Amino acid sequence: MAEENKNVSILVDIKSKGVLDSIRDIISNLSGFTLYDKTSQFKTQESHDLLILEAGEEPNRDLHFAHTMKTLGTVRNIFLTSSSKNPDILIEALRIGINEFFPQPINKDDIRSALLKLKAYKDSL
């Protein structure tokens, strides 16, 4: 059980199948990460180390969701991805404490690097 506590618990809320497949592929090739989909959060009611969220057609709603999850302590860190290059989305994301932003199409190396940095931080605690 202690080993599982060392895993980085990741909750995903990704709308685009291609982006979701890429995220799953990245995580499946790294050790020390456990992936949950958004629906499992509401079944388990546990907190997670990370939310990876895609801002979709209603970015304000998605950002509000992320802010609520972080404020309630449901997630400790948030990575955001979006196909939109609207600077207002990025500004609002920064205001609510998004840790990383990944424009789409996503760069797998950037996400892998951010995940490993988060894992190293968790391991140091």
Side-chain angles (χ1 to χ4, degrees):
M1 190 68 164
E3 180 62 31
E4 189 160 322
N5 291 339
K6 280 291 194 180
N7 279 0
V8 174
S9 171
I10 303 173
L11 180 66
V12 293
D13 185 3
I14 304 289
K15 293 133 186 90
S16 307
K17 183 177 177 351
V19 174
L20 180 59
D21 290 345
S22 292
I23 298 290
R24 285 184 175 152
D25 182 56
I26 294 164
I27 294 169
S28 70
N29 288 302
L30 296 172
S31 62
F33 295 87
T34 305
L35 187 63
Y36 299 88
D37 68 22
K38 183 179 166 185
T39 57
S40 70
Q41 168 58 34
F42 301 108
K43 292 176 187 169
T44 63
Q45 296 297 315
E46 62 187 59
S47 65
H48 297 280
D49 296 304
L50 176 63
L51 167 65
I52 302 178
L53 174 70
E54 180 178 20
E57 293 180 12
E58 297 182 47
N60 289 333
R61 185 190 67 189
D62 296 327
L63 291 171
H64 177 74
F65 170 75
H67 179 67
T68 300
M69 296 287 276
K70 194 165 188 178
T71 301
L72 293 174
T74 306
V75 297
R76 288 178 280 291
N77 300 280
I78 301 171
F79 291 178
L80 180 70
T81 183
S82 178
S83 61
S84 173
K85 305 297 189 264
N86 183 337
D88 292 337
I89 294 172
L90 187 54
I91 290 167
E92 184 59 26
L94 291 170
R95 284 186 182 133
I96 66 169
I98 299 292
N99 301 85
E100 298 277 350
F101 177 79
F102 302 102
Q104 294 175 12
I106 61 170
N107 180 313
K108 288 184 175 186
D109 290 333
D110 289 347
I111 293 177
R112 186 177 300 108
S113 176
L115 288 169
L116 291 173
K117 186 169 101 177
L118 180 63
K119 173 89 170 95
Y121 174 75
K122 182 174 181 180
D123 288 348
S124 72
L125 297 177

